[in-house]
Amino acid sequence: GDSVTQMEGPVTLSEEAFLTINCTYTATGYPSLFWYVQYPGEGLQLLLKATKADDKGSNKGFEATYRKETTSFHLEKGSVQVSDSAVYFCALRVRQAGTALIFGKGTTLSVSS
Amino acid sequence: DVKVTQSSRYLVKRTGEKVFLECVQDMDHENMFWYRQDPGLGLRLIYFSYDVKMKEKGDIPEGYSVSREKKERFSLILESASTNQTSMYLCASSKDSNYEQYFGPGTRLTVT
């Protein structure tokens, strides 16, 4: 079935370090791909998305490119801040299956000053 | 801004009790969802609804039911709470299949 695999955390970085969180997917259709972020004590917020191959989603300095050939959607940021500490979820939606999202298990990022 | 609210942030119930979790959205969204979030398991879909009085089972519906009598409100019901239903419950809504999901702040339910 359809699924999302994320790198396991926690990821611990110093401020201004480069961030990569890996995400790969398995899907039978042509999925849309998402990154959601959950700050402590809050619900999930959409960080960025891509709806077709080679699309690049970007927001708040984060980027991810939809790579159909490697079935990946890795999240990157050039210089992380303490305020980026959160849990990050990769997700997909297969159009033929309706509107529900399939989430990865989440990756906890902790950034220290 | 879209707002999704959940009736409680924290809830403690006893085994066997009937539990109601309420979710309200204020943007006239068609679709509403209930997820449960557990450490190491991510988010798992319990039920979703694509219209008033319509519902679909998600990946883990056992032990839960839902009600959607009005477009803006989607309730999750635990008929007889058990300790393995201790979890964070997240509600979400979306306009339709081409739009993002907006999440509420979550309800942390503890069943003792």
Side-chain angles (χ1 to χ4, degrees):
Chain A
D2 303 323
S3 66
V4 175
T5 302
Q6 287 181 239
M7 63 185 286
E8 291 192 18
V11 174
T12 303
L13 295 173
S14 297
E15 209 165 23
E16 299 183 2
F18 184 86
L19 169 71
T20 300
I21 300 178
N22 291 336
C23 171
T24 57
Y25 68 89
T26 302
T28 52
Y30 299 93
S32 296
L33 300 173
F34 305 83
W35 277 102
Y36 278 81
V37 59
Q38 185 179 34
Y39 298 104
E42 298 183 14
L44 276 70
Q45 304 173 24
L46 179 67
L47 182 59
L48 53 84
K49 66 180 181 182
T51 57
K52 60 183 187 297
D54 299 325
D55 268 2
K56 177 186 281 189
S58 62
N59 186 25
K60 298 180 181 179
F62 291 89
E63 292 184 341
T65 301
Y66 188 161
R67 302 283 189 201
K68 188 178 179 183
E69 63 276 12
T70 55
T71 62
S72 65
F73 192 54
H74 303 321
L75 182 68
E76 296 181 336
K77 187 176 186 182
S79 176
V80 294
Q81 306 300 312
V82 172
S83 57
D84 294 325
S85 298
V87 182
Y88 292 81
F89 293 91
C90 186
L92 70 81
R93 182 179 64 223
V94 180
R95 292 189 192 90
Q96 297 91 323
T99 66
L101 294 172
I102 298 170
F103 286 88
K105 294 182 179 181
T107 303
T108 300
L109 170 65
S110 179
V111 181
S112 58
S113 58
Chain B
D1 280 350
V2 174
K3 193 165 185 182
V4 180
T5 57
Q6 295 183 229
S7 51
S8 304
R9 292 299 300 271
Y10 301 93
L11 208 53
V12 180
K13 295 292 182 180
R14 296 199 174 187
T15 302
E17 279 193 82
K18 190 170 186 176
V19 181
F20 293 87
L21 302 182
E22 305 286 339
C23 175
V24 177
Q25 50 94 3
D26 66 358
M27 283 299 290
D28 201 36
H29 283 175
E30 304 295 330
N31 304 312
M32 296 188 74
F33 308 83
W34 276 106
Y35 295 90
R36 108 172 237 174
Q37 182 181 9
D38 299 290
L41 296 177
L43 274 74
R44 294 177 292 167
L45 181 66
I46 305 171
Y47 268 96
F48 69 99
S49 169
Y50 51 90
D51 201 352
V52 174
K53 297 190 185 295
M54 306 302 289
K55 61 186 179 184
E56 291 283 344
K57 292 181 179 179
D59 299 319
I60 52 165
E62 297 79 18
Y64 304 95
S65 62
V66 290
S67 173
R68 193 162 180 207
E69 296 295 321
K70 294 184 178 181
K71 193 173 186 179
E72 67 272 18
R73 188 180 297 270
F74 191 37
S75 302
L76 180 69
I77 304 156
L78 288 66
E79 294 289 342
S80 178
S82 63
T83 54
N84 62 13
Q85 292 178 310
T86 291
S87 187
M88 171 71 85
Y89 291 88
L90 292 168
C91 176
S93 72
S94 70
K95 184 175 165 74
D96 63 30
S97 60
N98 294 318
Y99 288 83
E100 69 174 278
Q101 291 187 15
Y102 292 86
F103 283 81
T107 296
R108 186 166 293 283
L109 172 66
T110 301
V111 182
T112 61

